[in-house]
């Protein structure tokens, strides 16, 4: 017999094997021999009679019963021995499970493995179970040096440290090893099937390791790792083509890669484009320092940040020319928006590169660098190409369009929450859909959309109150802090808080003035005012902000000339923004010639606004009929214009607009018919925009292949807002995912050691509400937002994050390694050290950045309390109450705009909302069962702090309040829901179930509709 692979048998191995054989012999043969010798046969001499069941049992009968039980246990043990020996000798893989023999089979497995080591030619026999130390033994076997010939550049590092494992709450000491880029590992890519043959882990182990029984080693190295297709390896028999598998050190025919690239292979199926696949030259090792705080190297200061063009202050004195009544021509100098700067990608250094001091600690002073804000144009030296290919930059730049899409998406996800079961969470997008949502989160400007919406409605309300007509608005400039309207004719007397500039040609509303109006009289809102200018739509941006035009102000046809692809992308952007904006009420948008896929996708996003037809002939009857209806409404109402009708609320439905957007140029006959319909000389609650050269068009716009749009007589020159085909396909996939009503189970809450109490923690991170960080170190206020996001990302990944993955999440448009590492070092300084002198932020042995054990994260504490509530049913209510005390408001509330876009591809929002709602609902039920309605009210209120849109909790609150007997408070709760519907665009409308409950508890209430 050959000795085990890698080393010869020691005397201890032989003694252990002989001892295991003796133990098995004693159990299998010695037990029955002893039973037969001392107690005889357990079989009765004859058939039992019915009278035996009524006789009194004596000591002899009791001994007989015990002997029979021992015989049964011996039979089960013998079956385990047979199964384990068969599996070990024949190599059938995982041994079959013997019923009701968990602990017994585990013991027998160890004995059989030890005994077979005396005879088998391999040192690795698969354990039957992961518990009982089997996995630990196998990892130790995998980490042993092998005698197989290796490639010269291969230097395997053990998966776990050589020293004993720390306690669950402890943090590994800082590293003294060389940087992670000096280590390598091996991977294997699962091949596609050939005919009916599919690769299995057994075959891969047999091909690469020489023994199919070693498949469990591959399984353990890759278990639960997310693969490029988003799925995980959970069962050894279920692997898919294209998966990347990390292999043991002695694997043959496997690819050698740098260890720091392993995460990229798992995530993308390949290394990031800017990484050199060859391991770099090892850095000289340094001895571990004797003091906890090493001397920090001098920091390298990166290039200063550049502010984005879209955030530049608005011009103080815009000077458009006064247009004629029917030939508007406000002239503004067109300014080229800064182009996206791109540079050759720079190679990311490994974990700790540039920021690792001795022992793997993060180093760098408070002034050692800065970082670009997500959503802003980065300078060339900060650019990394990891996210360039296919990344939807156009959606990130379309701030109002992105805000509208996210609002509609939020309503769809409310429906998903309605339909999820207890213990489940909604399905989140993956792949291209997740990247689209990430871009939308990065660019969305909800505050600007609110300023435009409420500002225009307040203007309409003020003008109607003063008996004045609304002005014609030809263009709108939306800056960071103000809203400018270019109007004609000029008027120097706008209603407060609007201000006049440039002899009354421009009316300006500052955001702070609108907030002051809202705060002074919250009840006097403008939510019930009809949108005065629903045809406003973004055409692009210049150096000073976003430019919008009113389609209705053309009083005729708008023609868009330019290359077909660019022109179609601009028209798609216009359609998407019109379909989802919040400064319009009910409207009709007819799409002609965009194709079935675009029409169906748009109809899925906004079914109440979109109608798609293949040709203009199908659209003309409705367009002509709608124009005639507006003419009749103007004559019947006595108002002088559509704007006056909207402002005064007269014949409200009559002024709902209808817009036509065509994808292909109309024929000459179609163009003539359209021009005759559109050119009315007055506003008719309609707008028409078509591609190509059209004789008789009121406005003609030109767009070039580079995306520059010149708006003709309006004088605007902007970087056009574009949504190309591949990006709107991603938007449609995102909404299809949001329409799925199947839910996925919540991950089991992790147990283990209790997280540190607030008094024993050296730093705290609170996510369940407004983001709060309590840390002992210094922090520059200018960099607090960036460092807070970085810290929150690490808190959301308790198992650690590779620096390259961290960079892609926090800086989606790219960042240099120097800036990344300086920011990580700054966060490390901020968190300081724990009570043992160890850093609260450190690199683990695989190059991942992790938080220390004394950093208290409220979400981790919440999960632990939920786990304890299930483990101790008698204290379930108490633990759930403690958990809800941690909830202070919506998850990650008050986070800055343009940050945390990585949430689109993370379970954090989905899991936290579902878990808090489930705990709150369960506690309401428990409190009501205990006869404590006031406690139930408190539980429902706690859940609503984080999930104010969850109507299940609103119903719980209504029931609990009704149980308390406080009928008046039920009316207060109904008023709260009314207020949410009026002011929160995400809320939409009440569910029928909620309306029915309110009707039952509060008869005669007035139903709340949606805008």
């Amino acid at each position: 017999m050959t000795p085990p692979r890698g080393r010869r048998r020691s005397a201890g191995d032989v003694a252990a094997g002989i001892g295991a054989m003796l133990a098995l012999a004693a159990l299998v043969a010695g037990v029955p021999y002893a039973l037969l010798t001392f107690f005889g046969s357990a079989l009765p001499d004859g058939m039992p009679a019915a009278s035996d069941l009524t006789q009194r049992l004596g000591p002899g009968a009791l001994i007989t019963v015990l002997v029979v039980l021992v015989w049964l246990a011996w039979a089960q043990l013998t079956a385990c021995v047979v199964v384990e020996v068969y599996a070990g000798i024949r190599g059938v893989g995982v041994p079959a499970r013997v019923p009701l023999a968990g602990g017994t089979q585990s013991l027998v497995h160890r004995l059989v493995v030890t005994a077979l080591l005396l005879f088998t030619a391999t040192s690795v026999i698969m354990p039957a179970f992961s518990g009982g130390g089997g996995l630990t033994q196998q990892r130790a076997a995998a980490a042993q040096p092998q005698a197989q010939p290796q490639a010269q550049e291969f230097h395997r590092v053990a998966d776990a440290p050589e020293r004993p494992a720390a306690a669950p709450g402890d943090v590994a000491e800082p590293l003294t090893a060389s940087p992670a880029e000096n280590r390598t590992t091996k991977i294997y890519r699962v091949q596609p099937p050939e005919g009916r043959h599919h690769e299995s882990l057994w075959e891969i182990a047999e091909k690469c390791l020489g023994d199919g029984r070693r498949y469990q080693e591959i399984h353990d190295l890759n278990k639960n790792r997310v693969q490029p297709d988003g799925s995980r390896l959970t069962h050894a028999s279920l692997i898919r083509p294209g998966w990347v598998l990390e292999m043991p050190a002695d694997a043959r025919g496997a690819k050698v890669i740098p260890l720091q690239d392993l995460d990229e292979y798992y995530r993308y199926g390949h290394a990031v484009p800017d990484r050199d696949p060859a391991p770099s030259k090892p850095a000289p090792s340094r001895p571990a320092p004797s003091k906890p705080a090493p001397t920090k190297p001098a920091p390298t200061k990166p290039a200063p940040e550049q502010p984005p063009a879209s955030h530049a202050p608005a011009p103080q004195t815009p000077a458009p020319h006064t247009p004629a009544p029917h030939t508007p021509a406000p002239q503004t100098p067109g300014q080229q928006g800064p182009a996206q700067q791109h540079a050759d990608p720079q190679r990311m250094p490994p974990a700790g590169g540039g920021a690792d001091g001795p022992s793997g600690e993060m180093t760098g002073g408070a002034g050692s660098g800065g970082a670009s804000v997500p959503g802003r144009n980065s300078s060339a030296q900060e650019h990394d190409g990891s996210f360039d290919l296919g990344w939807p930059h156009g959606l990130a730049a379309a701030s109002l369009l992105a805000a509208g899409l996210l609002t509609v998406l939020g309503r769809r996800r409310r429906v998903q929450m309605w339909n999820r079961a207890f213990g489940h969470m909604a399905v989140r997008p993956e792949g291209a859909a997740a990247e689209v949502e990430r871009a939308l989160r990065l660019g969305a400007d909800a505050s600007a959309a609110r300023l435009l919406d409420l500002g225009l409605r307040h203007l309409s309300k003020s003008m109607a109150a003063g008996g004045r007509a609304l002005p014609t608005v030809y263009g709108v400039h939306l800056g960071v802090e103000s809203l400018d309207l270019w109007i004609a004719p000029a008027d120097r007397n706008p209603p407060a808080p609007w201000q006049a500039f440039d002899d009354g040609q421009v009316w300006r509303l500052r955001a702070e003035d609108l907030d002051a109006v809202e705060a002074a009289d919250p009840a006097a809102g403008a939510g019930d005012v009809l949108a005065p200018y629903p045809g406003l739509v973004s055409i692009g941006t210049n150096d000073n902000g976003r430019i919008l035009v009113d389609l209705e102000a053309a009083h005729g046809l708008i023609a868009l000339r330019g290359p077909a692809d660019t022109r179609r992308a601009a028209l798609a952007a216009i359609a998407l923004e019109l379909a989802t904006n919040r400064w319009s009420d009910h409207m009709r948008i007819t799409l002609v010639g965009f194709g079935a896929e675009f029409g169906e996708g748009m109809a899925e996003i906004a079914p109440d606004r979109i109608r798609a037809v293949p040709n203009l002939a199908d659209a003309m009857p409705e367009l002509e009929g709608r124009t005639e209806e507006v003419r009749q409404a103007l004559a019947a109402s006595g108002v002088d214009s559509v704007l006056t009708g909207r402002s005064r609320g007269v014949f409200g439905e009559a002024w709902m607009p209808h817009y036509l957007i065509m994808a292909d140029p109309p024929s000459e006959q179609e163009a003539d018919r359209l021009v005759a319909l559109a050119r009315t000389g007055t506003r008719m609650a309609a707008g028409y925009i078509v591609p190509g050269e059209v004789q008789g068009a009121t406005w003609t716009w030109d767009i070039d292949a580079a995306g520059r749009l010149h708006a003709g007589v309006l004088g605007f020159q902007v970087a056009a807002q574009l949504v190309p085909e591949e990006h709107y396909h991603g938007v449609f996939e995102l909404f299809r995912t949001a329409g799925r009503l199947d839910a996925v189970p919540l991950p089991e809450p992790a147990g283990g050691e209790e997280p540190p109490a607030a008094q024993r923690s050296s730093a705290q991170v609170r996510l369940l509400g407004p983001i709060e960080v309590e840390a002992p170190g210094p922090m520059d206020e200018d960099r607090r937002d960036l460092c807070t996001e970085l810290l929150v990302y690490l808190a959301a990944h308790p198992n650690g994050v590779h620096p390259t993955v961290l960079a892609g999440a926090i800086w989606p448009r790219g960042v240099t390694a120097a800036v990344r590492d300086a920011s990580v070092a700054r966060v490390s300084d901020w968190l300081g050290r724990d009570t043992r002198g160890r850093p609260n932020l450190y690199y683990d042995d695989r190059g991942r950045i992790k938080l220390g054990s004394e950093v208290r994260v409220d979400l981790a504490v919440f999960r632990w309390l939920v786990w304890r509530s299930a483990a101790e049913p008698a204290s379930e209510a108490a633990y759930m109450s403690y958990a809800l005390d941690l909830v202070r408001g919506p998850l990650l509330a008050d986070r800055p705009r343009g940050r945390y876009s990585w949430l689109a591809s993370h379970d954090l929002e989905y899991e936290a909302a579902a878990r808090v709602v489930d705990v709150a609902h369960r506690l309401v039920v428990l409190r009501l069962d205990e006869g404590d309605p006031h406690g139930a009210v408190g539980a429902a209120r706690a859940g609503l702090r984080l999930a104010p849109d969850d109507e299940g909790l609103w119903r719980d609150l209504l029931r609990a309040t009704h149980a308390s007997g406080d009928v008046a408070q039920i009316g207060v709760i109904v008023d709260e829901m009314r207020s949410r519907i009026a002011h929160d665009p995400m809320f939409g409308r009440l569910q029928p179930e909620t309306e029915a409950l309110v009707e039952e508890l509060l008869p005669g209430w007035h139903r709340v509709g949606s805008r």
Side-chain angles (χ1 to χ4, degrees), residues 477-488:
H477 169 268
L478 189 59
V480 178
E481 299 177 349
S482 64
L483 167 66
D484 290 353
L485 308 181
W486 281 297
I487 67 172

Side-chain angles (χ1 to χ4, degrees), residues 23 118 258 479 624 709 879 919 965:
L118 293 174
E624 292 170 340
L709 186 146
Y879 280 116
V919 169

Side-chain angles (χ1 to χ4, degrees), residues 321-596:
H321 296 298
T322 304
H326 300 297
T327 311
Q331 300 294 328
T332 57
Q335 297 181 357
Q336 171 72 36
Q340 189 85 14
Q341 296 187 23
H342 295 277
D344 293 335
Q346 300 182 21
R347 182 179 181 272
M348 283 283 192
D356 264 352
S359 304
E361 297 178 13
M362 318 291 182
T363 60
S368 58
S372 60
V373 177
R376 296 186 178 184
N377 293 333
S378 302
S379 58
Q381 65 269 25
E382 291 180 353
H383 187 76
D384 176 0
S386 303
F387 292 85
D388 276 348
L389 299 178
W391 197 79
H393 291 285
L395 290 173
S399 58
L400 297 181
L401 187 157
L405 284 171
L406 288 181
T407 298
V408 179
L409 187 66
R411 293 176 182 171
R412 300 293 171 83
R413 286 180 175 161
R414 285 190 68 231
V415 178
Q416 284 186 304
M417 289 290 289
W418 295 346
N419 289 274
R420 72 174 185 90
F422 188 90
H424 290 68
M425 62 182 180
V427 180
R428 71 168 175 84
E430 297 180 348
E435 284 300 307
V436 163
E437 183 176 353
R438 189 178 186 190
L440 295 177
R441 288 173 179 254
L442 187 67
D445 193 346
S447 60
R450 174 183 176 274
L451 174 62
L452 182 61
D453 178 31
L454 295 183
L456 295 177
R457 293 181 194 269
H458 272 291
L459 174 65
S460 178
K461 184 176 182 179
S462 299
M463 297 292 281
R468 302 169 60 188
L470 281 168
T472 297
V473 175
Y474 296 104
V476 171
H477 169 268
L478 189 59
V480 178
E481 299 177 349
S482 64
L483 167 66
D484 290 353
L485 308 181
W486 281 297
I487 67 172
D491 188 340
R492 299 182 181 180
N493 186 29
W498 291 82
Q499 299 174 341
F501 291 87
D502 197 21
D503 293 328
Q505 292 184 6
V506 173
W507 285 4
R508 174 171 299 159
L509 175 66
R510 300 186 185 277
E512 58 186 17
D513 295 335
L514 177 63
D515 294 338
V517 170
E518 291 278 294
D521 191 1
D528 56 345
V529 177
L530 289 178
Y533 305 103
L536 283 172
V537 66
S538 302
I539 60 171
T541 57
N542 60 19
D543 287 346
N544 299 317
R546 181 163 299 276
I547 303 298
L548 298 89
V549 298
D550 187 359
L551 300 183
E552 296 180 9
H555 302 170
L557 201 66
I558 303 173
L560 178 63
R561 301 181 300 198
D565 291 344
T566 312
R567 189 178 62 199
R568 185 183 179 94
L571 293 171
I574 290 174
L576 277 167
E577 185 172 298
L578 283 174
T580 58
N581 70 51
R582 62 174 288 178
W583 57 90
S584 302
D585 298 323
H586 303 289
M587 69 163 61
R588 189 73 162 173
I589 304 170
T590 298
L591 304 176
V592 177
F594 279 89

Side-chain angles (χ1 to χ4, degrees), residues 44-60:
D45 296 332
M47 295 295 293
S51 60
D52 294 338
L53 300 176
T54 60
Q55 292 181 357
R56 185 174 181 179
L57 294 177

Side-chain angles (χ1 to χ4, degrees), residues 331 700-702 709-716:
Q331 300 294 328
T700 298
W701 299 343
D702 290 286
L709 186 146
H710 177 68
V713 296
L714 295 178
F716 301 126

Side-chain angles (χ1 to χ4, degrees), residues 664-695:
D664 298 320
S667 65
E668 186 175 349
Q669 293 78 10
E670 290 175 334
D672 291 342
R673 189 176 178 184
L674 269 179
V675 169
L677 174 65
R679 201 161 195 174
T680 59
T682 184
R683 185 184 295 262
M684 295 297 294
Y688 310 86
I689 180 167
V690 300
E693 181 74 45
V694 177
Q695 188 70 27

